[in-house]
């Protein structure tokens, strides 16, 4: 008999949402029960239909009409899209893994605080730049107290950036800077975030340059803790790499992080999609493991058990 899986849904059928669908299809712990957009002829919906996945173009109303279909939903719309639907998902008692930079729920970087998913009904996966930089910046901040300023700049291939990403670009900057501040303790006014999209037809892997300004650092202290953070990260983002050797010149530590994706839906160079989707799948699987481990009595039914233990009752007015 197949092992039980957690029923999940996706809202947002663009680049992020469709790649997530492919990652869920590979998962031993998750199964996609509803793939939802607002345009029945989107490429993502066509692809999902061809895979036999139930789809809807009714946006959040699809979940209102089927409140028991999914125990967890990945939001891959836009920051404004998520702000508009967050209360509805909360009233339905559906756990949210938010891949937009809406910052409705607490910020989550899996190698630092994956357990947020067990404690909160809505977790925010920050941004691709945040997932690429913060695991490293957090190690630096744990070793050196007197960081004066941090700047990060990510370089992405143009075909890896969807319209929603461009539409919520201000939220990208503010959420990434806020998350860097939260996970390093450096004041937000001293954090600078930049994003460059390649204009030529060249398809670079995602490359993020981190610059950390601080005096009197012994950079050798960084190497062992950084290696162990890298090992932890590569368990769910195999293409995460530090290019060359971190350097320290003129009171600035410089570290180059590259991310190569797994090529699930989008090509491998789109590490920016892969890193946030892999982070989202990682925490959803952690939650699924917790829930599925409770299912000692098969006959009681895993989904009833989830409903009993983790959900608030749906708000009947909304449902
Ligand atoms: N691309 C990246 O590198 C990246 C990395 C990390 C996080 N993100 C975040 O992930 C989100 C999606 O980015 P993307 O690059 O995948 O953009 P995208 O390709 O434009 O996909 C967004 C999808 O969401 C749909 N949508 C928007 N509002 C909706 C709503 N209210 N209900 C249902 N569907 C809705 C859009 O539908 P239409 O086709 O009808 O517009 C589109 O299919 C953005 O918030 C972005 O900031 C992106």
């Amino acid at each position: 008999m197949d092992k039980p899986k957690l029923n999940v849904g996706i809202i947002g059928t663009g680049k992020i949402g469709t790649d997530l669908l492919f990652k869920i299809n590979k998962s031993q712990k998750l199964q996609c029960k509803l793939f939802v957009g607002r345009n029945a002829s989107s490429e993502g919906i066509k692809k999902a239909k061809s895979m036999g996945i139930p789809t809807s173009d009714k946006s959040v109303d699809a979940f209102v009409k089927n409140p028991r279909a999914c125990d967890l939903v990945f939001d891959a719309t836009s920051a404004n899209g998520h702000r508009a639907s967050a209360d509805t998902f909360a009233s339905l008692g559906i756990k949210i893994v938010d891949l937009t930079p809406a910052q409705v729920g607490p910020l989550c970087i899996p190698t630092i605080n994956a357990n947020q998913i067990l404690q909160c009904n809505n977790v925010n996966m920050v941004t691709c730049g945040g997932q690429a930089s913060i695991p490293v910046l957090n190690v630096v901040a744990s070793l050196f107290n007197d960081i004066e300023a941090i700047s990060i700049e990510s370089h992405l291939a143009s075909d890896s950036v969807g319209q929603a990403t461009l539409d919520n670009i201000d939220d990208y900057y503010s959420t990434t800077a806020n998350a860097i501040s939260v996970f390093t303790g450096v004041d937000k006014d001293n954090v600078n975030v930049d994003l460059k999209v390649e204009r030529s037809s060249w398809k670079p892997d995602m490359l993020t340059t981190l610059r950390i300004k601080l005096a009197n650092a012994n950079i050798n202290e960084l190497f062992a803790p950084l290696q162990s953070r890298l090992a932890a990260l590569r368990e769910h983002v195999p293409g995460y790499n530090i290019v060359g050797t971190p350097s320290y010149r003129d009171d600035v530590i410089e570290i180059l992080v590259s991310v190569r994706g797994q090529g699930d839906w989008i090509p491998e160079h789109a590490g920016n999609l892969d890193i946030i989707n892999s982070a989202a799948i990682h925490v959803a699987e952690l939650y699924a493991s917790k829930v599925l481990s409770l299912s000692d009595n098969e006959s009681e039914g895993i989904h009833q058990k989830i409903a009993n233990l983790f959900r608030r009752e749906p708000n009947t007015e909304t449902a």
Side-chain angles (χ1 to χ4, degrees):
M1 199 174 73
D2 286 347
K3 285 191 177 166
K5 294 183 176 183
L6 191 75
N7 290 337
V8 301
I10 298 171
I11 183 167
T13 66
K15 290 180 187 297
I16 284 276
T18 309
D19 184 70
L20 267 175
L21 179 63
F22 277 68
K23 285 181 166 47
I24 290 166
N25 253 11
K26 293 196 311 193
S27 171
Q28 302 297 311
K29 295 185 176 147
L30 311 173
Q31 60 190 343
C32 185
K33 288 289 183 181
L34 209 43
F35 185 69
V36 171
R38 59 182 181 184
N39 171 6
S41 59
S42 80
E43 207 188 332
I45 291 217
K46 284 190 211 153
K47 189 72 207 170
K49 277 188 175 156
S50 75
M51 294 160 74
I53 308 287
T55 64
S56 166
D57 62 353
K58 299 287 181 272
S59 190
V60 68
D61 287 347
F63 297 99
V64 174
K65 287 209 175 73
N66 300 283
R68 291 286 178 203
C70 304
D71 303 298
L72 178 152
V73 168
F74 297 91
D75 194 325
T77 60
S78 65
N80 283 341
H82 184 60
R83 289 185 191 111
S85 63
D87 285 350
T88 303
F89 283 118
S91 69
L92 294 171
I94 294 175
K95 194 173 274 270
I96 290 290
V97 175
D98 177 19
L99 292 102
T100 80
Q103 289 195 83
V104 171
L107 304 165
C108 180
I109 302 289
T111 47
I112 304 172
N113 66 345
N115 278 353
Q116 286 283 17
I117 190 77
L118 306 179
Q119 289 145 15
C120 308
N121 280 333
N122 185 325
V123 292
N124 182 268
M125 301 312 297
V126 192
T127 60
C128 56
Q131 292 293 343
S133 62
I134 291 169
V136 169
L137 294 171
N138 173 259
V139 171
V140 178
S142 70
L143 293 169
F144 305 113
N145 294 324
D146 27 19
I147 296 175
E148 291 169 42
I150 293 175
S151 75
I152 72 155
E153 181 185 297
S154 297
H155 184 211
L156 315 177
S158 58
D159 64 349
S160 67
V161 179
Q163 187 56 44
T165 304
L166 299 173
D167 292 347
N168 59 205
I169 200 70
D170 290 343
D171 290 293
Y172 172 88
Y173 290 124
S174 60
T175 298
T176 309
N178 186 41
I180 289 173
S181 175
V182 166
F183 289 101
T184 62
V186 174
D187 194 292
K188 211 165 31 166
D189 290 344
N190 297 325
V191 175
N192 186 58
V193 174
D194 211 347
L195 186 66
K196 294 267 186 298
V197 178
E198 176 62 38
R199 284 173 185 272
S200 75
S201 58
W202 184 247
K203 308 284 182 215
D205 289 359
M206 180 193 194
L207 183 71
T208 302
T209 305
L210 321 183
R211 292 194 184 87
I212 305 124
K213 185 163 172 47
L214 80 165
N216 304 319
N218 177 358
I219 196 163
N220 291 314
E221 289 177 23
L222 190 57
F223 295 156
L226 207 48
Q227 291 287 4
S228 67
R229 178 58 55 86
L230 273 185
L233 196 48
R234 283 187 186 139
E235 283 180 18
H236 63 274
V237 192
Y240 190 96
N241 198 20
I242 287 184
V243 181
T245 308
S247 65
Y248 184 57
R249 266 179 231 114
D250 301 328
D251 289 351
V252 174
I253 296 178
E254 185 174 279
I255 304 172
L256 268 63
V257 170
S258 81
V259 187
R260 187 152 180 85
Q262 296 164 80
D264 289 314
W265 160 245
I266 24 77
E268 289 174 343
H269 61 261
N272 41 309
L273 289 133
D274 199 71
I275 193 168
I276 195 163
N277 280 354
S278 299
I281 295 285
H282 181 74
V283 295
E285 287 185 337
L286 181 69
Y287 175 66
S289 299
K290 177 80 177 170
V291 170
L292 298 172
S293 72
L294 300 170
S295 179
D296 46 85
N297 179 356
E298 294 287 335
S299 64
E300 189 179 340
I302 180 65
H303 301 299
Q304 188 53 47
K305 210 153 194 182
I306 293 165
N308 294 344
L309 288 167
F310 283 87
R311 282 179 157 182
R312 287 190 274 143
E313 280 304 303
N315 173 337
T316 44
E317 260 178 78
T318 316

